[in-house]
Amino acid sequence: MTQTELSRFQAVLNARIIELEQLIRDRDGIRIERSAEQLEEIQQASERALAVCNLDRHFSHLRDVRAALRRTQEGGFGICQKCDDDIAPKRLVAVPWAQFCIRCQEAVDRSSEEIQAPGGDLFGRAA
């Protein structure tokens, strides 16, 4: 990767960091307000839960983007963190904070899905 390409990725990552930091600062959605209407309180609780999930997702994404920026400075940018192969340039253009090549990302996604939804009926096997 040329220094010009690396500088371009650094600019994209820095812009994304600024954008995510602004999103994280907006925490109005998690403010607790009391209401006389029970239905309104339930709706507010649901909206608060969604805002907390979004905030968590933004923090996680910010962590990934900062790690990618660090890799640009340390020389590991564009190299898969699992197999040490180069990450495809098209993938980096689409997802500059990518940690893994497509093959390894698919393996990570599959293992994550297996952990979240283990195969088979666990209760059925216990009986």
Side-chain angles (χ1 to χ4, degrees), residues 62-106:
L62 180 60
R63 187 176 47 250
D64 292 344
V65 175
R66 284 182 174 157
L69 186 59
R70 221 176 7 263
R71 288 192 301 274
T72 66
Q73 297 160 350
E74 296 170 354
F77 183 77
I79 300 171
C80 179
Q81 302 293 297
K82 193 167 187 176
C83 71
D84 289 331
D85 283 346
D86 287 342
I87 299 173
K90 286 183 180 181
R91 176 162 170 73
L92 288 174
V93 168
V95 186
W97 49 87
Q99 299 178 52
F100 307 113
C101 65
I102 289 287
R103 189 181 65 241
C104 291
Q105 184 65 57
E106 288 172 348

Side-chain angles (χ1 to χ4, degrees), residues 27-35 40-49 51-52:
R27 298 183 183 171
D28 289 341
I30 60 175
R31 185 174 359 112
I32 297 175
E33 295 178 10
R34 293 292 175 197
S35 173
E40 191 173 321
E41 278 201 29
I42 292 170
Q43 181 178 353
Q44 287 174 351
S46 176
E47 290 170 359
R48 222 178 4 261
V52 168

Side-chain angles (χ1 to χ4, degrees), residues 7-43:
S7 294
R8 196 173 316 129
F9 281 116
Q10 286 174 331
V12 169
L13 292 168
N14 278 317
R16 187 66 180 150
I17 287 171
I18 291 168
E19 182 182 336
L20 287 166
E21 286 175 341
Q22 288 173 347
L23 288 170
I24 288 169
R25 277 190 212 106
D26 181 24
R27 298 183 183 171
D28 289 341
I30 60 175
R31 185 174 359 112
I32 297 175
E33 295 178 10
R34 293 292 175 197
S35 173
E37 297 287 328
Q38 185 177 10
L39 185 59
E40 191 173 321
E41 278 201 29
I42 292 170
Q43 181 178 353

